[in-house]
mmCIF file of all heavy atoms in Angstrom:
data_model
loop_
_atom_site.group_PDB
_atom_site.id
_atom_site.type_symbol
_atom_site.label_atom_id
_atom_site.label_comp_id
_atom_site.label_asym_id
_atom_site.label_seq_id
_atom_site.Cartn_x
_atom_site.Cartn_y
_atom_site.Cartn_z
ATOM 1 N N ASP A 104 -27.740 -5.778 -66.013
ATOM 2 C CA ASP A 104 -27.937 -4.550 -65.106
ATOM 3 C C ASP A 104 -29.097 -4.966 -64.035
ATOM 4 O O ASP A 104 -30.055 -5.525 -64.433
ATOM 5 C CB ASP A 104 -28.286 -3.329 -65.731
ATOM 6 C CG ASP A 104 -27.146 -2.842 -66.647
ATOM 7 O OD1 ASP A 104 -25.982 -3.093 -66.281
ATOM 8 O OD2 ASP A 104 -27.415 -2.165 -67.681
ATOM 9 N N LEU A 105 -28.888 -4.580 -62.839
ATOM 10 C CA LEU A 105 -29.855 -4.597 -61.721
ATOM 11 C C LEU A 105 -30.384 -3.213 -61.399
ATOM 12 O O LEU A 105 -29.627 -2.368 -61.233
ATOM 13 C CB LEU A 105 -29.301 -5.425 -60.580
ATOM 14 C CG LEU A 105 -28.651 -6.708 -60.820
ATOM 15 C CD1 LEU A 105 -27.933 -7.230 -59.741
ATOM 16 C CD2 LEU A 105 -29.806 -7.727 -61.128
ATOM 17 N N TRP A 106 -31.706 -3.230 -61.289
ATOM 18 C CA TRP A 106 -32.299 -1.795 -60.938
ATOM 19 C C TRP A 106 -33.006 -1.663 -59.579
ATOM 20 O O TRP A 106 -33.087 -0.576 -59.086
ATOM 21 C CB TRP A 106 -33.417 -1.430 -62.001
ATOM 22 C CG TRP A 106 -32.695 -1.234 -63.392
ATOM 23 C CD1 TRP A 106 -31.893 -0.138 -63.800
ATOM 24 C CD2 TRP A 106 -32.857 -2.085 -64.568
ATOM 25 N NE1 TRP A 106 -31.485 -0.281 -64.997
ATOM 26 C CE2 TRP A 106 -32.016 -1.367 -65.490
ATOM 27 C CE3 TRP A 106 -33.465 -3.165 -64.824
ATOM 28 C CZ2 TRP A 106 -31.922 -1.943 -66.776
ATOM 29 C CZ3 TRP A 106 -33.390 -3.706 -66.002
ATOM 30 C CH2 TRP A 106 -32.572 -3.213 -66.959
ATOM 31 N N LYS A 107 -33.477 -2.716 -59.075
ATOM 32 C CA LYS A 107 -34.223 -2.611 -57.828
ATOM 33 C C LYS A 107 -34.196 -3.884 -57.169
ATOM 34 O O LYS A 107 -34.147 -4.860 -57.728
ATOM 35 C CB LYS A 107 -35.665 -2.164 -58.266
ATOM 36 C CG LYS A 107 -36.651 -2.089 -57.025
ATOM 37 C CD LYS A 107 -36.623 -0.816 -56.317
ATOM 38 C CE LYS A 107 -37.662 -0.661 -55.213
ATOM 39 N NZ LYS A 107 -37.836 0.490 -54.687
ATOM 40 N N VAL A 108 -34.226 -3.797 -55.715
ATOM 41 C CA VAL A 108 -34.182 -5.094 -54.952
ATOM 42 C C VAL A 108 -35.095 -4.703 -53.821
ATOM 43 O O VAL A 108 -35.313 -3.736 -53.207
ATOM 44 C CB VAL A 108 -32.852 -5.451 -54.481
ATOM 45 C CG1 VAL A 108 -32.270 -4.344 -53.530
ATOM 46 C CG2 VAL A 108 -32.972 -6.768 -53.640
ATOM 47 N N VAL A 109 -36.073 -5.744 -53.524
ATOM 48 C CA VAL A 109 -37.040 -5.572 -52.363
ATOM 49 C C VAL A 109 -37.023 -7.010 -51.736
ATOM 50 O O VAL A 109 -36.636 -7.884 -52.124
ATOM 51 C CB VAL A 109 -38.446 -5.362 -52.876
ATOM 52 C CG1 VAL A 109 -38.641 -3.937 -53.573
ATOM 53 C CG2 VAL A 109 -39.063 -6.374 -53.720
ATOM 54 N N ALA A 110 -37.435 -6.843 -50.366
ATOM 55 C CA ALA A 110 -37.401 -7.981 -49.507
ATOM 56 C C ALA A 110 -38.769 -8.084 -48.801
ATOM 57 O O ALA A 110 -39.216 -7.023 -48.302
ATOM 58 C CB ALA A 110 -36.206 -7.989 -48.492
ATOM 59 N N ALA A 111 -39.263 -9.226 -48.557
ATOM 60 C CA ALA A 111 -40.374 -9.544 -47.686
ATOM 61 C C ALA A 111 -40.012 -9.867 -46.285
ATOM 62 O O ALA A 111 -40.688 -9.572 -45.428
ATOM 63 C CB ALA A 111 -41.152 -10.707 -48.321
ATOM 64 N N ASP A 112 -38.752 -10.421 -46.052
ATOM 65 C CA ASP A 112 -38.294 -10.813 -44.702
ATOM 66 C C ASP A 112 -36.659 -10.997 -44.964
ATOM 67 O O ASP A 112 -36.225 -10.844 -45.997
ATOM 68 C CB ASP A 112 -38.988 -12.016 -44.278
ATOM 69 C CG ASP A 112 -38.993 -13.202 -45.154
ATOM 70 O OD1 ASP A 112 -37.934 -13.502 -45.700
ATOM 71 O OD2 ASP A 112 -40.058 -13.815 -45.238
ATOM 72 N N ALA A 113 -36.125 -11.486 -43.903
ATOM 73 C CA ALA A 113 -34.668 -11.693 -43.877
ATOM 74 C C ALA A 113 -34.206 -12.671 -44.996
ATOM 75 O O ALA A 113 -33.141 -12.704 -45.492
ATOM 76 C CB ALA A 113 -34.140 -11.973 -42.512
ATOM 77 N N ALA A 114 -35.129 -13.649 -45.305
ATOM 78 C CA ALA A 114 -34.666 -14.713 -46.242
ATOM 79 C C ALA A 114 -35.214 -14.451 -47.670
ATOM 80 O O ALA A 114 -34.556 -14.966 -48.504
ATOM 81 C CB ALA A 114 -35.196 -16.052 -45.706
ATOM 82 N N THR A 115 -36.245 -13.764 -47.882
ATOM 83 C CA THR A 115 -36.909 -13.734 -49.136
ATOM 84 C C THR A 115 -36.748 -12.434 -49.857
ATOM 85 O O THR A 115 -37.174 -11.381 -49.216
ATOM 86 C CB THR A 115 -38.390 -14.056 -48.960
ATOM 87 O OG1 THR A 115 -38.594 -15.205 -48.195
ATOM 88 C CG2 THR A 115 -39.108 -14.311 -50.374
ATOM 89 N N ALA A 116 -36.176 -12.395 -51.004
ATOM 90 C CA ALA A 116 -35.896 -10.981 -51.683
ATOM 91 C C ALA A 116 -36.014 -11.313 -53.074
ATOM 92 O O ALA A 116 -35.820 -12.490 -53.671
ATOM 93 C CB ALA A 116 -34.540 -10.396 -51.327
ATOM 94 N N TRP A 117 -36.152 -10.197 -53.922
ATOM 95 C CA TRP A 117 -36.263 -10.281 -55.339
ATOM 96 C C TRP A 117 -35.443 -9.014 -55.862
ATOM 97 O O TRP A 117 -35.506 -8.056 -55.305
ATOM 98 C CB TRP A 117 -37.801 -10.163 -55.890
ATOM 99 C CG TRP A 117 -38.607 -11.249 -55.456
ATOM 100 C CD1 TRP A 117 -38.903 -12.485 -56.087
ATOM 101 C CD2 TRP A 117 -39.295 -11.374 -54.241
ATOM 102 N NE1 TRP A 117 -39.635 -13.144 -55.317
ATOM 103 C CE2 TRP A 117 -39.983 -12.589 -54.215
ATOM 104 C CE3 TRP A 117 -39.448 -10.417 -53.181
ATOM 105 C CZ2 TRP A 117 -40.855 -12.843 -53.016
ATOM 106 C CZ3 TRP A 117 -40.322 -10.718 -52.149
ATOM 107 C CH2 TRP A 117 -40.972 -11.860 -52.057
#
Side-chain angles (χ1 to χ4, degrees):
D104 292 333
L105 302 168
W106 291 292
K107 176 83 176 188
V108 62
V109 297
D112 54 44
T115 312
W117 301 267

